[in-house]
Amino acid sequence: MAQPDSKKIFFENLSGAGKAIAVLTSGGDAQGMNAAVRAVVRMGLYVGAKVYFIHEGYQGMVDGGENIKEASWESVSSMLQVGGTVIGSARCKEFRSHEGRLKAANNLVKRGITNLCVIGGDGSLTGANLFREEWSGLLGELVEQGSIDADSVQKYSALHIVGMVGSIDNDFCGTDMTIGTDSALHRIIEVVDAIMTTAQSHQRTFVLEVMGRHCGYLALVSALACGADWVLIPEMPPEDGWEDKMCQKLSATRSRGTRLNIIIVAEGAIDRHGKPITSSIVKDLVVKCLGFDTRVTILGHVQRGGTPSAFDRILASRMGVEAVLALLETTANTPACVVSLCGNQSVRLPLMECVQMTQEVQKAMDEKRFEEAVKLRGRSFVNNLKTYKLLAHRKPESELPISNFNVAVLNVGAPAAGMNAAVRSAVRVGISEGHKMFAVSDGFEGFYKGQIKEIKWADVGGWTGQGGSLLGTKRTLPAKHVDKIAEQMRMHNINALLVIGGFEALLSLLELLTARGKYDEFCVPMVMVPATVSNNVPGSDLSIGADTALNAITTTCDRIKQSASGTKRRVFIIETMGGYCGYLATVGGLAAGADAAYIYEEPFDIRDLQANVEHLTEKMKTSIQRGLVLRNENSNENYTTDFIYQLYTEEGKGVFDCRKNVLGHMQQGGAPSPFDRNFGTKISAKAMQWISKKLVETFRHGRVFANTEDSCCLLGMRRRALVFQPVVQLKDDTDFVHRIPKEQWWLKLRPLMKILAKYKTSYDVSDSGQLEHVVRNRPKELDASVAM
């Protein structure tokens, strides 16, 4: 396959030869830990280091013996899709004592291990840092005891630590997402979606208790993702008198015709005086005050279990590789660091800075400084809380600003899961800002036909969990009907447009921009929010719907691979969607543990195919039983899915047999993932706030007139920030023939996928995370907050 640009910096000079790396999981388990372990082992072996498992966390390190085993490539096969941690985790009292750490140091030195990769929560990482600080003293004691010789002290003088945060609570400051959080949200949302159907049938109120003893992230984000009526979290206890306010809200919701209520309670929820608010207290309150039929569901350890989501597998794989790179680059003076996620970027942060800020949150909560506790949780948490309050609690008509502006919202292009969450968010934010909101059915086709009607707050209730597009969407572009669309804009006095869609939405805005010269009706603020499973919109690293499609691909690949367990060796050829964009094939391949992924952006020929077959044949002979090959639907017009299937079948004779699957439109269907619900909700809210600002700026002499480039924008995620970009400026970044951006960030993940599949390749580390410092209050322009 095509090699990356040789001018970039690669890690060939970062050799792991002679180094020993040990990986352990500690504290509570979290889905995705196994993906992180797998990445550390395979990347460590790839750079020439010895890699060891430490079973049962710190307890295994203290006990030594069979608990510390050398890892091989094959030992981490088939663990990517497994929940929990296969190397075990245990809370260890002995490691908290000096004697316990002395035993642990002896066990590591005997095996020459001076590099530790710790996957756990803040307690586990704090313990690792203490161990590092005591290391030289512990070695001195071991020499005095005669357990090790003086040469060992010289040879193993420094212990290097890199941490990855594995915690479903997402309670660690410095990272947008911890390993396991997204999977836990999947479990919660699956339960909420199921409960909603039964609650609606019986007109019931459900109180759901989710995990989060000291952190309300799961409760808050799941409330945002399902449109819950009320949420109770420890960081922001409700004001005194909350009981009456909550009951009034539930009663008002029912009076508008809603048949159910959902209340989400974090297990650590408290009131302003520190008194616990339990799910049973909330239930009794609702029954007593309103007489509603109310049930309690406590999710418990269901949230920790199950298969990791695509997001967690990719996050853990990226972090695992980054952790090994950090260990290779570390020196005796490098502080222990934690590999974190900021927006869409891997970053390295000093471990103790993160731990101290995490502890400051708890201190602020203990001292009832709740506003400060929320800020310390980070930009993502603050943004989630603001958005939830904006969308869940409707202001009385008398309190709404009067703008006299009409804003239209429509979907364009193919349907994508999360579109409805984006529409709901836009409608409710627009109404909160005082606008009159109009919904356009069936995209621009419905627009020119006059399928436009006002949409109210209650009309979008329950939309967040719905797949597809409830407004209806078409691929029709506006250019042919621009006169009729202008007439409809005039008739309904539309002052701004919010377009939610894929590549067709971008083309539509470019056509409307051109039409401004002829029709003043299009001289209004226009903004596009990217929504397409293909993730092929220039100007944005991610699109609404892509995460749901990735989860569909990953889940299906897991099942397909499982179908071959216990049979003879088998290779599966899977075709994914995406047009000419290879995002789904590449990132889906990384999440599913594929051996190869063929895409249009990385040209391949028959020699590459032959090399891949030979590589897979070799692996099949020695270790693995199942192979997985993904192909993007338009990767090559001649090397079709059938051709690749026949080639592998012929060349693999006597070693493995082949099966093929075309996943098709199942990638577009289904309920949106928690990520897509929240990404759609937050990015759409931000787009509506931009529209409100532009409407005020461009209102002159009794009318809105906006004809500058920056009044027609795409709102996209670029690296760490959500950025408004004039669509005309995106022209140079776009391959219009193949409907893809000219530069795509995820292509840097392809070498990672190949390395984890045992290919020799070059890995670009020019974009690798450099050690930064924890920033308490990031500037607003960096407020991406997209990783939920």
Side-chain angles (χ1 to χ4, degrees):
M1 291 191 181
Q3 291 296 310
D5 183 354
S6 59
K7 292 178 183 176
K8 292 179 180 175
I9 306 165
F10 301 107
F11 68 49
E12 273 79 354
N13 60 328
L14 297 173
S15 172
K19 292 193 177 185
I21 299 170
V23 59
L24 71 142
T25 53
S26 177
D29 66 307
Q31 308 97 319
M33 279 184 166
N34 290 325
V37 170
R38 171 180 178 267
V40 169
V41 169
R42 291 194 167 177
M43 189 64 168
L45 293 173
Y46 185 83
V47 296
K50 273 189 174 183
V51 186
Y52 291 86
F53 292 132
I54 299 179
H55 290 270
E56 313 308 333
Y58 288 117
Q59 191 65 57
M61 195 191 294
V62 171
D63 294 343
E66 287 296 300
N67 288 304
I68 305 176
K69 289 182 181 176
E70 190 170 348
S72 66
W73 194 277
E74 291 73 26
S75 62
V76 291
S77 294
S78 303
M79 69 155 58
L80 186 62
Q81 67 273 21
V82 179
T85 165
V86 298
I87 60 173
S89 179
R91 303 189 191 276
C92 178
K93 284 185 181 178
E94 202 174 347
F95 189 75
R96 294 178 188 175
S97 69
H98 185 78
E99 292 74 17
R101 292 192 291 277
L102 192 65
K103 286 182 186 176
N106 188 34
N107 287 325
L108 295 187
V109 170
K110 280 179 179 175
R111 293 164 178 83
I113 298 168
T114 55
N115 297 280
L116 270 187
C117 184
V118 182
I119 308 165
D122 61 328
S124 304
L125 299 180
T126 304
N129 191 65
L130 176 62
F131 190 40
R132 173 183 168 274
E133 288 173 348
E134 291 182 348
W135 183 255
S136 58
L138 293 171
L139 263 55
E141 286 183 50
L142 290 171
V143 171
E144 288 175 14
Q145 292 176 4
S147 300
I148 61 172
D149 55 32
D151 288 344
S152 295
V153 176
Q154 191 70 30
K155 192 174 180 183
Y156 308 120
S157 58
L159 178 68
H160 307 296
I161 303 281
V162 172
M164 286 184 273
V165 191
S167 166
I168 67 165
D169 291 337
N170 203 31
D171 56 354
F172 193 80
C173 294
T175 184
D176 285 349
M177 286 287 271
T178 57
I179 296 167
T181 304
D182 186 63
S183 301
L185 285 169
H186 272 260
R187 299 297 93 78
I188 295 167
I189 293 304
E190 284 162 11
V191 171
V192 173
D193 285 352
I195 277 174
M196 278 183 159
T197 57
T198 182
Q200 202 154 22
S201 303
H202 297 277
Q203 297 192 64
R204 281 184 177 142
T205 295
F206 268 86
V207 183
L208 275 88
E209 184 181 300
V210 301
M211 282 185 164
R213 200 179 314 139
H214 304 295
C215 179
Y217 184 88
L218 289 178
L220 177 58
V221 175
S222 53
L224 198 57
C226 71
D229 297 285
W230 203 267
V231 65
L232 293 157
I233 59 173
E235 291 88 347
M236 186 54 73
E239 300 288 346
D240 289 344
W242 65 272
E243 298 92 340
D244 291 337
K245 287 179 184 174
M246 184 184 77
C247 290
Q248 286 168 13
K249 166 83 188 333
L250 299 180
S251 183
T253 306
R254 287 290 179 97
S255 67
R256 290 194 291 269
T258 304
R259 292 177 60 87
L260 77 155
N261 299 110
I262 299 289
I263 301 164
I264 295 183
V265 184
E267 63 177 327
I270 52 172
D271 65 15
R272 288 270 156 178
H273 310 288
K275 184 183 172 186
I277 302 174
T278 65
S279 50
S280 57
I281 288 173
V282 175
K283 178 204 166 182
D284 293 342
L285 179 67
V286 175
V287 172
K288 181 183 173 185
C289 295
L290 300 173
F292 290 171
D293 185 2
T294 307
R295 298 285 189 274
V296 171
T297 300
I298 298 173
L299 270 64
H301 283 75
V302 160
Q303 295 157 88
R304 279 196 194 279
T307 293
S309 66
F311 183 99
D312 272 331
R313 298 184 198 194
I314 295 155
L315 173 68
S317 297
R318 288 177 70 183
M319 282 187 170
V321 168
E322 186 69 34
V324 173
L325 293 177
L327 286 171
L328 292 181
E329 293 170 7
T330 194
T331 65
N333 299 320
T334 308
C337 75
V338 62
V339 180
S340 299
L341 179 76
C342 181
N344 197 30
Q345 292 294 113
S346 289
V347 295
R348 299 176 198 168
L349 298 170
L351 190 152
M352 289 316 294
E353 282 186 25
C354 297
V355 168
Q356 283 158 13
M357 187 175 284
T358 303
Q359 291 168 348
E360 279 181 40
V361 178
Q362 189 58 49
K363 187 181 176 187
M365 287 162 60
D366 292 341
E367 295 173 0
K368 298 183 172 56
R369 293 180 284 116
F370 298 114
E371 296 283 349
E372 189 179 340
V374 168
K375 285 178 184 173
L376 287 169
R377 277 280 179 235
R379 59 200 176 92
S380 181
F381 195 93
V382 171
N383 200 18
N384 283 323
L385 189 58
K386 281 182 183 174
T387 308
Y388 175 76
K389 286 179 177 178
L390 196 62
L391 300 178
H393 303 293
R394 184 183 184 184
K395 292 178 183 175
E397 296 287 339
S398 57
E399 291 181 24
L400 291 175
I402 301 171
S403 72
N404 293 319
F405 292 125
N406 295 344
V407 180
V409 58
L410 66 157
N411 295 152
V412 176
M419 274 183 165
N420 298 320
V423 172
R424 169 186 175 268
S425 176
V427 168
R428 291 195 169 179
V429 172
I431 291 170
S432 296
E433 305 258 319
H435 309 318
K436 191 179 276 190
M437 298 300 297
F438 288 83
V440 181
S441 299
D442 298 334
F444 283 105
E445 188 172 309
F447 212 138
Y448 83 80
K449 291 178 180 177
Q451 293 169 217
I452 305 166
K453 65 176 183 179
E454 188 179 352
I455 187 164
K456 304 277 192 178
W457 184 282
D459 295 336
V460 291
W463 279 34
T464 48
Q466 301 285 327
S469 167
L470 293 173
L471 286 185
T473 182
K474 294 282 178 74
R475 294 180 184 270
T476 308
L477 297 178
K480 290 181 182 177
H481 311 286
V482 75
D483 52 339
K484 292 179 182 176
I485 294 169
E487 185 184 338
Q488 292 295 334
M489 295 269 289
R490 190 165 54 252
M491 280 173 59
H492 292 89
N493 190 28
I494 301 298
N495 306 118
L497 278 182
L498 172 58
V499 183
I500 301 164
F503 203 85
E504 290 85 358
L506 175 66
L507 296 175
S508 297
L509 284 199
L510 287 169
E511 290 180 1
L512 294 180
L513 192 65
T514 304
R516 278 179 172 178
K518 191 174 179 183
Y519 301 95
D520 281 356
E521 288 80 5
F522 299 122
C523 292
V524 296
M526 294 185 278
V527 64
M528 172 195 164
V529 168
T532 167
V533 300
S534 302
N535 198 31
N536 65 330
V537 177
S540 189
D541 291 349
L542 292 173
S543 298
I544 298 165
D547 183 70
T548 305
L550 278 177
N551 277 288
I553 291 166
T554 306
T555 303
T556 308
C557 287
D558 286 350
R559 290 178 179 177
I560 287 170
K561 283 164 72 176
Q562 193 179 38
S563 72
S565 61
T567 65
K568 59 182 180 178
R569 296 185 179 97
R570 182 165 288 168
V571 173
F572 296 95
I573 315 294
I574 312 287
E575 184 184 296
T576 66
M577 291 176 92
Y580 285 94
C581 180
Y583 175 81
L584 291 180
T586 297
V587 184
L590 182 59
D595 296 279
Y598 300 112
I599 61 170
Y600 168 78
E601 293 91 341
E602 192 174 274
F604 58 95
D605 57 25
I606 194 67
R607 290 180 293 276
D608 296 313
L609 291 170
Q610 184 63 33
N612 293 149
V613 173
E614 288 170 2
H615 179 84
L616 199 48
T617 303
E618 196 58 37
K619 282 208 294 185
M620 284 282 186
K621 285 177 179 175
T622 57
S623 56
I624 65 168
Q625 298 290 314
R626 290 156 288 177
L628 188 66
V629 175
L630 271 63
R631 178 190 175 273
N632 167 249
E633 59 186 346
N634 288 342
S635 57
N636 190 294
E637 62 180 341
N638 295 314
Y639 300 134
T640 62
T641 303
D642 281 335
F643 177 90
I644 292 172
Y645 162 68
Q646 288 163 0
L647 177 71
Y648 273 73
T649 301
E650 181 62 31
E651 296 298 319
K653 272 183 180 175
V655 181
F656 59 80
D657 65 1
C658 256
R659 296 289 184 274
K660 66 172 178 177
N661 291 82
V662 178
L663 300 185
H665 283 77
M666 66 168 291
Q667 296 159 85
Q668 273 186 337
S673 67
F675 185 96
D676 279 330
R677 296 182 196 202
N678 290 308
F679 185 38
T681 296
K682 291 198 287 188
I683 196 171
S684 194
K686 196 172 180 76
M688 273 306 307
Q689 287 164 343
W690 177 88
I691 283 175
S692 297
K693 183 183 165 193
K694 284 291 177 187
L695 284 169
V696 173
E697 287 176 3
T698 58
F699 186 72
R700 297 285 183 276
H701 311 297
R703 61 173 289 204
V704 173
F705 189 80
N707 65 346
T708 56
E709 282 185 5
D710 67 352
S711 64
C712 182
C713 285
L714 177 145
L715 174 56
M717 180 190 158
R718 297 309 276 276
R719 293 167 71 89
R720 300 190 194 182
L722 282 175
V723 185
F724 289 96
Q725 302 145 97
V727 292
V728 71
Q729 292 179 14
L730 294 173
K731 280 184 174 181
D732 293 339
D733 300 336
T734 308
D735 175 351
F736 286 98
V737 175
H738 299 101
R739 297 158 60 93
I740 54 174
K742 288 180 181 175
E743 287 191 15
Q744 301 184 85
W745 69 273
W746 51 264
L747 287 169
K748 290 184 177 180
L749 298 181
R750 287 188 63 76
L752 190 154
M753 184 192 75
K754 293 175 190 177
I755 287 167
L756 297 179
K758 215 173 182 178
Y759 282 92
K760 287 290 178 187
T761 187
S762 294
Y763 184 61
D764 178 10
V765 295
S766 60
D767 202 33
S768 187
Q770 299 304 309
L771 192 65
E772 301 180 9
H773 290 281
V774 180
V775 180
R776 287 174 183 271
N777 293 305
R778 294 176 189 272
K780 280 192 175 178
E781 60 269 22
L782 290 183
D783 188 16
S785 303
V786 293
M788 296 194 297

